[in-house]
Amino acid sequence: MHSLSDTFSRIAHWFRTVAVVLALLLYGIYGTQAAVAQKTITDPRNSIAAAQAVGTVTIVMVLPREEQNIEEGFRSYLQHNGLSVRYVSIRATGRADDAVELRRKVRAAKPDLIYVWGTPTTLALAGKADAPPQDAIRDIPIVFTEVTDPVGAGLMRSLDKHNSNITGVSHVAPLPVQLNAIRAYRPFTRLGYLHNPAEPNSALVRAQLQKLAAEQKFELVNSDIPLTSTGEPDANALPGLIRGIAERKADFLYIGPSTFLAFTNRDLVTQAALDAHLPTFCATESIVRQARCMFGLFSNGANTGRFAASKAMQILVAHEPVSQIPASTLQRFSLLINMGTSRQLDLYPPMLLLNVAEVTGVPTSVSRP
């Protein structure tokens, strides 16, 4: 028989889940990026005829990885809107020492616009807002995707009146919304976090989590990833750090928008968490869809790419100054649950969440509820 406090706790959890579900439904219907993209399609300045009149433009795509659905969304949007593009792909190493050579390669391609993915790569090209001109590309428009906090990372002084040659799209849901999504799945009192000292986003996210932990009365169980002699984070330390977080009784491991954790080492991180019986919540898509993260809340990659492409159209077709095009955070988010991981942890999601979530990792012999 449940105590009165248990009953109230269950009722509170139910109401919290309902609130998150309603919020997700609203986000799914009223996404600001959809309005912007529609404006780009219907604006006479950006008609197919206007795009065709521009002729063929050159876009350099600078990535630290292979192309994914976000780049597919970017390319398909421009094609759909009649823009002829010659693409030049350049691979970024992610090493700070290679930034000068990376900028040289990009300039040699003589692009009309640069598309770049991720905070470290964007910093390597655009530099911080206060960087000297020789340490940045300032004369070519740059459109970024998946930069978590452009202002916090120092890329821009503000999202709208930035007076710079860069704009773009952030893909991460606000942290309070992410935490509410976690609570809708299962209440928590301790949240695990792996801090990567070599990645700018990591310290920014940790500081925000620490502030929210104080406000919302939960404990942040933090572990710092050690660096190698070359200053790189040591991937070999990850399984032990994750076991340690589990042993410190964390209810979830929060994996933020980290290239090192959520992309480069996503299989290692999620398998180590699964081995430690530690549920994972992720702020990016591929680690849930292609690895073993239990669930996540984020902006869909294809939508992010299309929204970034709409900004490219403003620059290349409407000839709007980049300095007048705000960098934007999408307001439409997707909830993705990896049922294979949920089943292994014996932590099935509430039915209310399943009503709004996309589900992956379902065994072929098991149908979705």
Side-chain angles (χ1 to χ4, degrees), residues 62-82:
V62 186
L63 306 173
R65 52 160 177 76
E66 297 295 331
E67 290 192 17
Q68 295 184 345
N69 64 342
I70 186 169
E71 287 76 40
E72 181 182 351
F74 182 87
R75 287 175 180 262
S76 64
Y77 184 95
L78 296 183
Q79 181 180 14
H80 177 77
N81 284 278

Side-chain angles (χ1 to χ4, degrees), residues 148-149 172 175 178 193 195 200-212 220 254-258 283:
T148 304
D149 185 352
V172 178
L175 261 176
Q178 294 182 53
Y193 185 71
H195 169 55
N201 281 339
S202 188
L204 294 171
V205 172
R206 182 175 64 174
Q208 294 174 42
L209 284 172
Q210 288 171 332
K211 182 174 183 292
L212 289 168
L220 187 65
Y254 174 86
I255 304 171
S258 162

Side-chain angles (χ1 to χ4, degrees), residues 13 17 21 181-186 252 294-296 335-360 362 368-369:
H13 181 222
T17 303
V21 168
I182 298 175
R183 292 190 180 95
Y185 198 114
R186 180 188 183 194
F252 283 93
M294 190 171 79
F295 74 122
L335 182 69
L336 178 63
I337 298 172
N338 188 322
M339 283 299 293
T341 301
S342 298
R343 286 166 59 87
Q344 282 193 255
L345 294 173
D346 198 23
L347 289 173
Y348 292 90
M351 288 300 298
L352 280 170
L353 280 187
L354 286 175
N355 287 333
V356 296
E358 179 187 354
V359 173
T360 187
V362 179
R368 181 176 171 170

Side-chain angles (χ1 to χ4, degrees), residues 244-274:
I245 289 174
E247 290 167 358
R248 291 160 65 188
K249 307 299 183 185
D251 299 296
F252 283 93
L253 175 63
Y254 174 86
I255 304 171
S258 162
T259 301
F260 178 74
L261 295 173
F263 182 76
T264 307
N265 294 288
R266 63 192 178 197
D267 292 321
L268 174 63
V269 169
T270 55
Q271 186 60 54
L274 197 54

